Amino acid sequence: MTSALPTAPVDLSGYQVTDPFFGAPYIEIDEPRERPSPHRFMEGGFANTDTRFAFYFPPTEQYQGRMFQPLEGGHGGHAVTFGGGVLGEMFQRIALGARLGGYMVESNQGHIGDNLDARHGDNPTLYGHLASAESARLSKYVAAQVYGSAPHHSYVYGGSGGGRRSPLCLENCPGVWDGAMPSTSGGDIAEHGNTKRVKAGSVMSFGQMFNVQRLLGKEGIIALADRMAPGGSGNPFEGLTSHQRDELASLYRQGYAQGNEFMISEPMGQMWLYTSLSDELVATDPEYFTNFWTKPGYVGHDEPDAVMGDLIDQECTVVRTLSARDLNESPDFAGPEFQTMRILAAIVGAGGDAYDFPYAVEIAGLEGGYRVGANVKVLTGEAAGRSLHATGAAGNVFACDGTGDANTKRFMGVQPGDKVHVSNRVFLAYCYFARYHVMDNEPAFDHLRLDGVPIFPQHPVPEMSPLMGVCYSGKYEGKLLWIHHTHDSSVWPAWGTLYHRAVLGAQGEDGAAKNFRIRWTEFAEHGPYHMVPPEPRRVAATRLIDNRGIMEQSLKDLVDWVEHGIEPSGTNYEVRSGQVVLPDTAAARGGIQPVAHVSANGGVLAEVGVGEAVRLEVEAAVPAGGGNIVEVLWDFDGSGTYGFRHDEVDGTKAALTLSTTKTYDAPGTYFVTARVNSHRTGDVASTLDRIETIGQARVVVR
C-alpha cells in the first residue's frame, strides 16, 4: 500500500490560546517533505511573541493517536532541530514518532537563538514550559483537522537542555502531556509552582574540569585515561604533583565519571555553557574576579605560580574569519588539533546557510598563554564591542561563542586587519570557581566544607540563563522515565540522581514507585560516539556505545506504562564519593541494558609475544524482562571495525559465554572490545531498538 500524507486543509481561526501572553497562531509554511522521512510539514508562530513552532505529520495510516514532542538541547531557540538538517538525519525522530503511532512537534521554546523574548524578558517560565505547552495545544487542534482526531496521549522528551526542561513541562502544565522522558540533565529543587531561575552544579564543576585540563595538559590527560582504561594501573594520581592531585580529586568528588578521563581534554557542551554564562558571571559577581587576583585566600593572589604562566592579556590583529565549511573542508584545518573544532563547527552549521557562517577567527600577534576559554573582544570595525569566548583554539585559530548578538552573529562584520583584545583572566579565575561558590545541600560539594562550613571565601552561587527554565519540584501528574549515562562528560552521572531525590521529596517512596523510574546507560556519552575524538590506541566506538536503541525502547516502554500500566524496569545504583556505581551483574543491576565482561587469557590484561595466541572471552547477560542477545561482535585492535561476528548467536538466549582467539603480528598495546546487542523480542534481523553494551580488555604484545 502506498503511504499517503494527510492533505486536509487547516483553519486556525477557531483556536483559543490558553495563555493570554500568546497572540493568534499563524502558519507560514505548509508543504509535503520527503526528508528526513515523509511527512507534511507546517511551520509558524504566535503573534506578538518570538515563539515559533513546527509540526510534522507522517502518513495517515501510521497515525495511532499520539503526539511526541522532543525539546532541543542547550538553550533551545530553534523551531526546526530534529526535523531537518544534520540532527534530523542523525536521529530520525519524525520516523521514530511515526513508528510509535504519532506525529512530532517542535518549538523554539519561546525565543530566537539565545535572545530573550522582548515582552517576557528574563522570566524563565516562558522558556522552561509555557511556549512548549502552547505549541503542543495548538498541534492537537491542528491534528484533529489533519487526521480527523486529536491525539489521545502526548509525550515530551529531550536530552541535555531539553532534558532539563521536559520535566518542567510535566510539572507545570498538567493535561498537556501524559508522560515525559528526560535524559542527561539536572538542576536544583524548589517548591512546586516556583518561578525561580535554576542554579546548577555544572556552572561550578565545569570550571573544575577546565582546570584539570589546563594543569595536566593534553599528554597528561592521555596518560591519565590510559591508567584508568581496562588493564591500566587504576591509580589516577600516579605521577601527578600535589596541586594536580588536589584538583583531580575534587573533580571526581564533584561527579566527573571515572573511566571517561580522555574527555577532560575535549570540552564540548561544557565549554558552550561557559561561553553562554561568562559575561553574566562577571556582571553579577565582579568582586570574585577581582579578588581572585588581589586578595588573600584566593589562588591568583596566594599561588601565582599556579596561573601566571598561562596568562593572556594582549591586543592582536584579525587575519581572517572562518566558517564551518572552511574548518571542515579546507586542508589548512585537516590536522588532529582541529578535530573537536571541526565537529562543533559542523553542528553549528547544521542548518544550511549556517555552514558558511563566520564561526571562528584567525589572529596574528598572539604569543604564549592558555587559549581555550579566552575572551576575544572586537575593538575596531563594524563589530566593535562584541564579546566572544573561545570554545576551542588551535594555534592562532579561535572558535568562539557568546550570548545575545554574540551568539547569533559571532564574527559577522569582522574584517581582516580589525583589532581584538584577547584575555583569559576571567577564564583562569573560573577554573577555581567551585572553591568559592559552594552549593548548599549539594553532596558534590561536601568535600569543600568542614562541619558544614565552606573552607574558602564564598560568593553567591550564580543562576543559569532564564532560557533553562525554573527549578524542579518533583511534583507532577503522569509518568516520568529518566535516562542518564555513566560516561557523560557534559552532564555528569551524579547529577542524574538529583531529580530522583526531588521526586522522593515531593511524592514520597510510594509516589516515586508509582510515577518515576531512572535508567542508567553504561558507556554512553552525551552525544553519539562518532562525534567523540579518538584516543591514541582506541577510537570512541570501542569505548562508548550508541544509545539510540535504548532511547527508542525506553520511549516505547513509557507509552506502555502510561497507556497500559506496564511498569518499566529501573536500574539499581548507589553513589560513592561522587561516583555513580552500578551492580556488576545484570540480575542485580536491572534496567534493560545487557552487562558484558571481557577477559584476555583469563584477566583484564594479557601479555603475549608476537604470533602467540591470546584467548578472548566475553560473558554477557540481559536483565530480566530485557529480551535476548542478538549479536556479539569483536574489535581486536581499537580501530572500531568489529570485523569478527559470532554467527552462533540466534536471539534465543538471555545469557551466554563466548570465546575466540587472536594472534598479533606486531608488538604494541591493543584494546580488545566485544560489542553485545540485545533486543526485547530477540529479533536478530531488527536494526531498530537494539540495546548495546561493550566489554574490554588490554593485550600487550612484546
Side-chain angles (χ1 to χ4, degrees), residues 540-552:
T542 65
R543 67 177 192 86
L544 299 170
I545 67 155
D546 185 340
N547 69 308
R548 285 176 289 183
I550 291 173
M551 302 302 286
E552 177 159 353

Side-chain angles (χ1 to χ4, degrees), residues 339-377:
Q339 178 157 341
T340 301
M341 199 180 296
R342 290 195 300 267
I343 292 171
L344 293 177
I347 296 172
V348 170
D353 291 344
Y355 198 53
D356 293 303
F357 185 66
Y359 157 84
V361 66
E362 182 178 358
I363 61 176
L366 183 62
E367 297 180 2
Y370 191 78
R371 303 184 179 198
V372 174
N375 175 254
V376 180
K377 186 170 185 178

Side-chain angles (χ1 to χ4, degrees), residues 49 52 261 294 378 400 404 602 665:
T49 76
R52 304 275 302 177
E261 285 80 3
T294 61
V378 184
C400 293
D665 58 9

Side-chain angles (χ1 to χ4, degrees), residues 473-490:
S473 72
K475 183 178 180 181
Y476 54 84
E477 297 176 8
K479 307 296 186 185
L480 192 145
L481 177 57
W482 185 285
I483 311 294
H484 216 91
H485 307 330
T486 64
H487 283 56
D488 195 321
S489 62
S490 291

Side-chain angles (χ1 to χ4, degrees), residues 175-321:
V176 179
W177 300 276
D178 304 282
M181 194 180 78
S183 63
T184 60
S185 198
D188 60 339
I189 306 166
E191 70 282 355
H192 183 67
N194 74 88
T195 59
K196 298 176 181 177
R197 287 174 59 177
V198 65
K199 299 174 182 176
S202 57
V203 178
M204 281 63 71
S205 295
F206 285 169
Q208 191 72 35
M209 176 181 169
F210 298 149
N211 207 27
V212 172
Q213 178 195 35
R214 179 184 69 92
L215 291 170
L216 269 62
K218 182 77 172 183
E219 294 305 315
I221 293 171
I222 289 173
L224 168 64
D226 188 69
R227 293 194 296 273
M228 300 302 288
S233 71
N235 179 4
F237 305 110
E238 191 176 294
L240 302 186
T241 68
S242 60
H243 187 57
Q244 290 171 333
R245 289 169 187 250
D246 286 344
E247 293 302 290
L248 179 58
S250 184
L251 181 69
Y252 286 139
R253 288 169 178 150
Q254 289 176 51
Y256 191 87
Q258 292 186 8
N260 198 29
E261 285 80 3
F262 179 70
M263 290 304 292
I264 298 171
S265 68
E266 298 291 343
M268 300 175 81
Q270 312 92 331
M271 185 54 71
W272 164 81
L273 181 65
Y274 171 72
T275 66
S276 72
L277 287 172
S278 180
D279 292 342
E280 184 174 354
L281 293 178
V282 176
T284 57
D285 191 6
E287 184 179 349
Y288 168 70
F289 292 97
T290 299
N291 289 0
F292 180 83
W293 298 98
T294 61
K295 296 290 181 68
Y298 296 83
V299 173
H301 176 273
D302 296 347
E303 303 175 66
D305 288 348
V307 289
M308 291 304 293
D310 285 331
L311 185 64
I312 299 173
D313 194 345
Q314 195 173 333
E315 185 175 311
C316 303
T317 303
V318 172
V319 176
R320 55 177 166 168
T321 60

Side-chain angles (χ1 to χ4, degrees), residues 12-27 44-49 51-53 119 134 138:
L12 302 185
S13 61
Y15 180 77
Q16 298 293 318
V17 297
T18 300
D19 189 318
F21 170 77
F22 297 95
Y26 58 89
I27 292 175
F46 292 93
N48 304 316
T49 76
T51 300
R52 304 275 302 177
F53 58 78
R119 288 176 55 224
E134 201 64 47
L138 177 65

